[in-house]
Amino acid sequence: MAVLGAALWVVLVSAAGALLGGLGWWSPWVGWPVAVVLGALAGWAVRRAPGVDLPRSAALALVGVVTALTAWTAATHSEQVLPRRDAASNLQAAVSLATTHTRVVPVDPAPFGGPDVLALDGVTLASPAFYEVGTPAAPAVQPQFVVAPAVVYGLGWWAGGARPAMVLPAVASGLALLALGLLVSGAVGPWWGVAAAGLTGVLFPVVHTARATYSEPLALLTLTAALLAVTLAGRERSDAAASARLGLLAGVLLGGTGLVRVDALREVVLVLPALAVAAALGARWVRPFLAGLGGSLAVAAAAALALSPRYLGDIAGSLVPLVALGVALAGLSWGGLVLWRRGRRLPAGLVRRLPDAAAAAVVLLGVYLASRPLWQVVRQDPTDPGSRYVAGMQGRQGLPVDGGRTYAEQTVAWLAWWVGPVALLVALVALAALVRRALLELGRGRMVAWLPALLVAAGSTALTLLRPGITPDHPWADRRLLVALPLVVVLDVVAAAWLARRRPRAWPAGGAVAAAAVLVALAVPAVAATWPHRSGGVERGSLAAVDTLCSYLGPGDVVLAVDARAANEWPQVVRGMCGEPALSVTAAARRDPDALARTVAAVRSGVEGAGGRVVLLAADSADAIDGLGFRGEQVTDIVVREDEHALEHRPDGTDPLPIRVWLVRPS
């Protein structure tokens, strides 16, 4: 199927880009032929994959719905260019890889006046999402996140600059919706797959990420395609070879998601118990799945360790517990499989009671998560940079200032913002019923084909709701819900399908009416929540601001950012999109006017000694330049719109975001 081939292509081209970008060879002359060859290879690999049989009308409806949603999100895409958020950071990493042909970019110290200037305490090449690595004599800039978004979105940059790159997330998101629709169509029914894809596609967190160069659309594509492939493998009982091919493909896709997002390790860990159960029941696809999973996960780990080591160090507090969970689950799964093969079985009484007990446990977990705001306030270290950011938001929004709050106890409310409380309640009941059914089937010696997908999606949702691990600045924080929200939609669709098949004697149409009521209870809140954001296009005008700034710069210019906003937003943009050297005054030096003046003088002396010209850049106001005794020229003065920042309510609008830049060439 085309959607499986597209997902496999993302994994293969990301792995190739990681290797060639690590060697400094990722140029258009190499990258385009590699991408084409890998596309052909991906198509060949899935050519004999069994698909989902759909009536022509349902197939056309599914493609039509997905195409319409893709066109809408592409037409209303954002222009997140300045690296204030992950989307723009990914875009700048893509520009860097596409233009320098290497992932970790060496910086020539000569234009700055040599290593002595870069060794000054008051200057840095680093900026948010871009680390300074190496030594003053051999410095380099290392992008923060893992490599796949830079590789894929960099192809868009080669195709025509920032705008093609900015519509690729919409395409990836559309393909992910297609994979979801096919998965539900195969498990529930053709038209139910259409409903699942359409209802998921209108949820604003899905739309929000599809409109900008986030990693989530790519990860959602590879993950959903992996779950589709493993479900098809479980259904394919008559053709062992086809089942094995699907298992191999599913493993490659799931492990390869680690090239897109490090936290894909969570889904890898969660699939292990399902693999043990499938192996115990003699499934032929498990070994190929493990081979594909192990191989692609090893590639992803090697790429992350080689190309993003500083990032891995920064997130070690979250990554190490996840690795420990993986080791524990792998050990338990292997141990259980060994005992099974030795003839050990659970007591018959426990097997009979387990389905009901597990269903009750699901309901209790849901009640626990939903009730947390009544008895818990989750906090983190108040000195953490994220805590300081939250404290600032609280002050601006008139809330009690408690920057250490993570608001993690409110994650179920975050879900309810976008789907409504009725949909959550229905989803919880449906999940409990599905868990009960899966365990009943296991008690009879059979595994339902959709068990791995359910275990991964439900487990990932539970872990995310317990600990979202993100600054609670909405709607950006709602990116964490991109597994949970589709799961809620699918569970509601499953519940509606069950109801629709019931025909009470007293009222034969009652089942259909109840099914429609379930879908309406989901669709109305979802559409109402997305409606204020229907026109999208946030931060439109940012590209024009960048172009204006770049037009003021020329050969020999070395940009020095002298205030906080300039240092946060512009150095990598100047290096990547303007093609000129850039560095920043550190925060410590900016706080001391005398240190700032000494640093600027030292950098100016070094640059002029090398035959260049320093260009001072300020973006908060002209004050930093004026305080140095110069008069800055304002080169950009526009106001764009960005999504509303919210902590305790659903964001429903936009806020103004001024983009103003002052430049001066001291003489």
Side-chain angles (χ1 to χ4, degrees), residues 189-223:
W191 288 98
W192 299 110
V194 177
L199 290 169
T200 300
V202 300
L203 296 172
F204 180 62
V206 176
V207 173
H208 181 249
T209 55
R211 284 172 169 167
T213 47
Y214 288 106
S215 60
E216 279 81 3
L218 297 174
L220 193 61
L221 169 59
T222 55
L223 175 61

Short mmCIF file of all heavy atoms in Angstrom, two decimals, residues 189-223:
data_model
loop_
_atom_site.label_atom_id
_atom_site.label_comp_id
_atom_site.label_asym_id
_atom_site.label_seq_id
_atom_site.Cartn_x
_atom_site.Cartn_y
_atom_site.Cartn_z
N GLY A 189 -14.65 -1.55 10.23
CA GLY A 189 -15.51 -1.51 9.05
C GLY A 189 -15.14 -0.33 8.18
O GLY A 189 -14.63 0.68 8.66
N PRO A 190 -15.39 -0.42 6.85
CA PRO A 190 -14.90 0.60 5.92
C PRO A 190 -15.33 2.02 6.25
O PRO A 190 -14.50 2.93 6.34
CB PRO A 190 -15.48 0.13 4.57
CG PRO A 190 -15.69 -1.33 4.73
CD PRO A 190 -16.07 -1.53 6.17
N TRP A 191 -16.64 2.22 6.43
CA TRP A 191 -17.10 3.60 6.65
C TRP A 191 -16.70 4.12 8.02
O TRP A 191 -16.59 5.33 8.23
CB TRP A 191 -18.60 3.69 6.43
CG TRP A 191 -18.94 3.56 4.97
CD1 TRP A 191 -19.36 2.45 4.32
CD2 TRP A 191 -18.82 4.59 4.00
NE1 TRP A 191 -19.52 2.70 2.98
CE2 TRP A 191 -19.20 4.02 2.75
CE3 TRP A 191 -18.43 5.92 4.04
CZ2 TRP A 191 -19.20 4.75 1.57
CZ3 TRP A 191 -18.44 6.66 2.87
CH2 TRP A 191 -18.82 6.08 1.66
N TRP A 192 -16.47 3.22 8.97
CA TRP A 192 -16.00 3.66 10.27
C TRP A 192 -14.57 4.18 10.17
O TRP A 192 -14.18 5.09 10.92
CB TRP A 192 -16.09 2.52 11.28
CG TRP A 192 -17.50 2.05 11.46
CD1 TRP A 192 -18.03 0.86 11.06
CD2 TRP A 192 -18.58 2.79 12.06
NE1 TRP A 192 -19.36 0.79 11.36
CE2 TRP A 192 -19.73 1.97 11.98
CE3 TRP A 192 -18.68 4.04 12.64
CZ2 TRP A 192 -20.97 2.37 12.48
CZ3 TRP A 192 -19.92 4.46 13.13
CH2 TRP A 192 -21.03 3.64 13.05
N GLY A 193 -13.79 3.64 9.26
CA GLY A 193 -12.45 4.17 9.03
C GLY A 193 -12.49 5.58 8.47
O GLY A 193 -11.67 6.44 8.83
N VAL A 194 -13.45 5.84 7.59
CA VAL A 194 -13.62 7.20 7.06
C VAL A 194 -13.94 8.16 8.19
O VAL A 194 -13.39 9.27 8.28
CB VAL A 194 -14.72 7.21 5.99
CG1 VAL A 194 -14.95 8.64 5.48
CG2 VAL A 194 -14.37 6.28 4.83
N ALA A 195 -14.85 7.75 9.08
CA ALA A 195 -15.23 8.61 10.21
C ALA A 195 -14.04 8.86 11.12
O ALA A 195 -13.82 10.00 11.58
CB ALA A 195 -16.36 7.94 11.00
N ALA A 196 -13.25 7.83 11.39
CA ALA A 196 -12.10 7.99 12.29
C ALA A 196 -11.08 8.95 11.71
O ALA A 196 -10.55 9.83 12.41
CB ALA A 196 -11.45 6.63 12.56
N ALA A 197 -10.79 8.82 10.41
CA ALA A 197 -9.82 9.72 9.79
C ALA A 197 -10.33 11.16 9.78
O ALA A 197 -9.58 12.10 10.09
CB ALA A 197 -9.53 9.25 8.36
N GLY A 198 -11.59 11.34 9.42
CA GLY A 198 -12.13 12.70 9.36
C GLY A 198 -12.21 13.37 10.70
O GLY A 198 -11.83 14.55 10.85
N LEU A 199 -12.68 12.64 11.72
CA LEU A 199 -12.81 13.24 13.05
C LEU A 199 -11.44 13.52 13.67
O LEU A 199 -11.27 14.53 14.37
CB LEU A 199 -13.63 12.32 13.95
CG LEU A 199 -15.12 12.23 13.61
CD1 LEU A 199 -15.78 11.11 14.38
CD2 LEU A 199 -15.81 13.57 13.89
N THR A 200 -10.48 12.66 13.42
CA THR A 200 -9.12 12.93 13.92
C THR A 200 -8.52 14.14 13.22
O THR A 200 -7.86 14.98 13.85
CB THR A 200 -8.23 11.70 13.72
OG1 THR A 200 -8.78 10.59 14.42
CG2 THR A 200 -6.82 11.96 14.24
N GLY A 201 -8.77 14.24 11.93
CA GLY A 201 -8.16 15.31 11.15
C GLY A 201 -8.66 16.70 11.47
O GLY A 201 -7.99 17.68 11.12
N VAL A 202 -9.82 16.82 12.13
CA VAL A 202 -10.31 18.16 12.48
C VAL A 202 -9.92 18.57 13.89
O VAL A 202 -10.21 19.70 14.30
CB VAL A 202 -11.85 18.26 12.33
CG1 VAL A 202 -12.26 17.97 10.90
CG2 VAL A 202 -12.57 17.34 13.31
N LEU A 203 -9.28 17.70 14.66
CA LEU A 203 -8.86 18.07 16.01
C LEU A 203 -7.73 19.09 15.94
O LEU A 203 -6.74 18.89 15.23
CB LEU A 203 -8.39 16.83 16.77
CG LEU A 203 -9.47 15.77 17.04
CD1 LEU A 203 -8.84 14.52 17.63
CD2 LEU A 203 -10.53 16.32 17.97
N PHE A 204 -7.85 20.16 16.70
CA PHE A 204 -6.90 21.25 16.52
C PHE A 204 -5.45 20.86 16.82
O PHE A 204 -4.56 21.30 16.09
CB PHE A 204 -7.29 22.47 17.36
CG PHE A 204 -6.30 23.60 17.18
CD1 PHE A 204 -6.13 24.18 15.93
CD2 PHE A 204 -5.53 24.05 18.23
CE1 PHE A 204 -5.20 25.20 15.74
CE2 PHE A 204 -4.61 25.06 18.05
CZ PHE A 204 -4.45 25.65 16.80
N PRO A 205 -5.13 20.07 17.85
CA PRO A 205 -3.73 19.69 18.01
C PRO A 205 -3.15 18.97 16.80
O PRO A 205 -1.97 19.13 16.48
CB PRO A 205 -3.75 18.79 19.25
CG PRO A 205 -4.90 19.31 20.04
CD PRO A 205 -5.94 19.65 19.01
N VAL A 206 -3.97 18.18 16.10
CA VAL A 206 -3.51 17.53 14.88
C VAL A 206 -3.32 18.58 13.78
O VAL A 206 -2.30 18.59 13.07
CB VAL A 206 -4.52 16.46 14.43
CG1 VAL A 206 -4.11 15.84 13.10
CG2 VAL A 206 -4.64 15.37 15.50
N VAL A 207 -4.27 19.49 13.66
CA VAL A 207 -4.18 20.55 12.66
C VAL A 207 -2.98 21.45 12.95
O VAL A 207 -2.23 21.84 12.04
CB VAL A 207 -5.49 21.37 12.65
CG1 VAL A 207 -5.36 22.58 11.74
CG2 VAL A 207 -6.66 20.49 12.22
N HIS A 208 -2.79 21.78 14.20
CA HIS A 208 -1.72 22.70 14.61
C HIS A 208 -0.36 22.17 14.19
O HIS A 208 0.49 22.91 13.66
CB HIS A 208 -1.79 22.88 16.13
CG HIS A 208 -0.77 23.80 16.69
ND1 HIS A 208 0.27 23.37 17.48
CD2 HIS A 208 -0.61 25.14 16.60
CE1 HIS A 208 1.02 24.39 17.84
NE2 HIS A 208 0.50 25.48 17.32
N THR A 209 -0.11 20.90 14.43
CA THR A 209 1.19 20.33 14.07
C THR A 209 1.31 20.12 12.57
O THR A 209 2.42 20.20 12.02
CB THR A 209 1.43 19.00 14.80
OG1 THR A 209 0.35 18.11 14.55
CG2 THR A 209 1.54 19.23 16.30
N ALA A 210 0.19 19.86 11.90
CA ALA A 210 0.24 19.68 10.44
C ALA A 210 0.56 20.97 9.71
O ALA A 210 0.98 20.95 8.55
CB ALA A 210 -1.09 19.12 9.93
N ARG A 211 0.37 22.09 10.38
CA ARG A 211 0.58 23.38 9.73
C ARG A 211 2.02 23.90 9.86
O ARG A 211 2.34 24.96 9.30
CB ARG A 211 -0.35 24.42 10.35
CG ARG A 211 -1.79 24.31 9.91
CD ARG A 211 -2.69 25.22 10.70
NE ARG A 211 -4.03 25.33 10.11
CZ ARG A 211 -5.07 25.85 10.72
NH1 ARG A 211 -4.95 26.31 11.97
NH2 ARG A 211 -6.24 25.91 10.12
N ALA A 212 2.87 23.22 10.58
CA ALA A 212 4.22 23.72 10.82
C ALA A 212 5.20 22.56 10.84
O ALA A 212 4.81 21.40 10.96
CB ALA A 212 4.28 24.51 12.13
N THR A 213 6.48 22.88 10.75
CA THR A 213 7.51 21.86 10.58
C THR A 213 7.87 21.19 11.90
O THR A 213 9.04 21.16 12.33
CB THR A 213 8.76 22.47 9.93
OG1 THR A 213 9.09 23.71 10.58
CG2 THR A 213 8.53 22.74 8.46
N TYR A 214 6.87 20.64 12.56
CA TYR A 214 7.09 19.83 13.76
C TYR A 214 7.52 18.43 13.36
O TYR A 214 7.31 17.97 12.22
CB TYR A 214 5.80 19.75 14.58
CG TYR A 214 5.43 21.03 15.29
CD1 TYR A 214 4.38 21.82 14.83
CD2 TYR A 214 6.12 21.44 16.42
CE1 TYR A 214 4.02 23.00 15.49
CE2 TYR A 214 5.77 22.62 17.08
CZ TYR A 214 4.73 23.38 16.61
OH TYR A 214 4.40 24.54 17.26
N SER A 215 8.06 17.71 14.33
CA SER A 215 8.40 16.31 14.10
C SER A 215 7.18 15.41 14.20
O SER A 215 7.17 14.29 13.65
CB SER A 215 9.45 15.85 15.12
OG SER A 215 8.96 15.99 16.45
N GLU A 216 6.14 15.87 14.87
CA GLU A 216 4.97 15.01 15.13
C GLU A 216 4.30 14.47 13.88
O GLU A 216 3.91 13.29 13.86
CB GLU A 216 3.95 15.75 16.00
CG GLU A 216 4.26 15.74 17.48
CD GLU A 216 5.27 16.80 17.88
OE1 GLU A 216 5.70 17.58 17.00
OE2 GLU A 216 5.64 16.86 19.07
N PRO A 217 4.09 15.25 12.79
CA PRO A 217 3.44 14.64 11.62
C PRO A 217 4.22 13.46 11.05
O PRO A 217 3.63 12.45 10.66
CB PRO A 217 3.37 15.81 10.62
CG PRO A 217 3.33 17.03 11.48
CD PRO A 217 4.24 16.71 12.63
N LEU A 218 5.54 13.58 11.01
CA LEU A 218 6.36 12.47 10.51
C LEU A 218 6.27 11.27 11.44
O LEU A 218 6.15 10.12 11.00
CB LEU A 218 7.81 12.92 10.35
CG LEU A 218 8.08 14.04 9.34
CD1 LEU A 218 9.54 14.47 9.41
CD2 LEU A 218 7.72 13.60 7.93
N ALA A 219 6.35 11.54 12.75
CA ALA A 219 6.28 10.44 13.73
C ALA A 219 4.91 9.78 13.71
O ALA A 219 4.80 8.55 13.84
CB ALA A 219 6.60 10.97 15.12
N LEU A 220 3.85 10.58 13.56
CA LEU A 220 2.51 10.01 13.51
C LEU A 220 2.35 9.12 12.28
O LEU A 220 1.69 8.06 12.34
CB LEU A 220 1.47 11.14 13.50
CG LEU A 220 0.02 10.74 13.76
CD1 LEU A 220 -0.14 10.10 15.13
CD2 LEU A 220 -0.90 11.95 13.63
N LEU A 221 2.97 9.51 11.17
CA LEU A 221 2.91 8.68 9.96
C LEU A 221 3.62 7.35 10.17
O LEU A 221 3.05 6.28 9.90
CB LEU A 221 3.54 9.44 8.79
CG LEU A 221 3.81 8.62 7.52
CD1 LEU A 221 2.52 8.02 6.98
CD2 LEU A 221 4.49 9.50 6.47
N THR A 222 4.85 7.38 10.63
CA THR A 222 5.59 6.13 10.77
C THR A 222 4.99 5.24 11.86
O THR A 222 4.93 4.01 11.70
CB THR A 222 7.07 6.40 11.06
OG1 THR A 222 7.19 7.24 12.22
CG2 THR A 222 7.74 7.10 9.88
N LEU A 223 4.54 5.83 12.96
CA LEU A 223 3.94 5.04 14.03
C LEU A 223 2.62 4.41 13.60
O LEU A 223 2.39 3.21 13.81
CB LEU A 223 3.74 5.91 15.27
CG LEU A 223 3.00 5.24 16.44
CD1 LEU A 223 3.77 4.02 16.95
CD2 LEU A 223 2.77 6.24 17.57
#
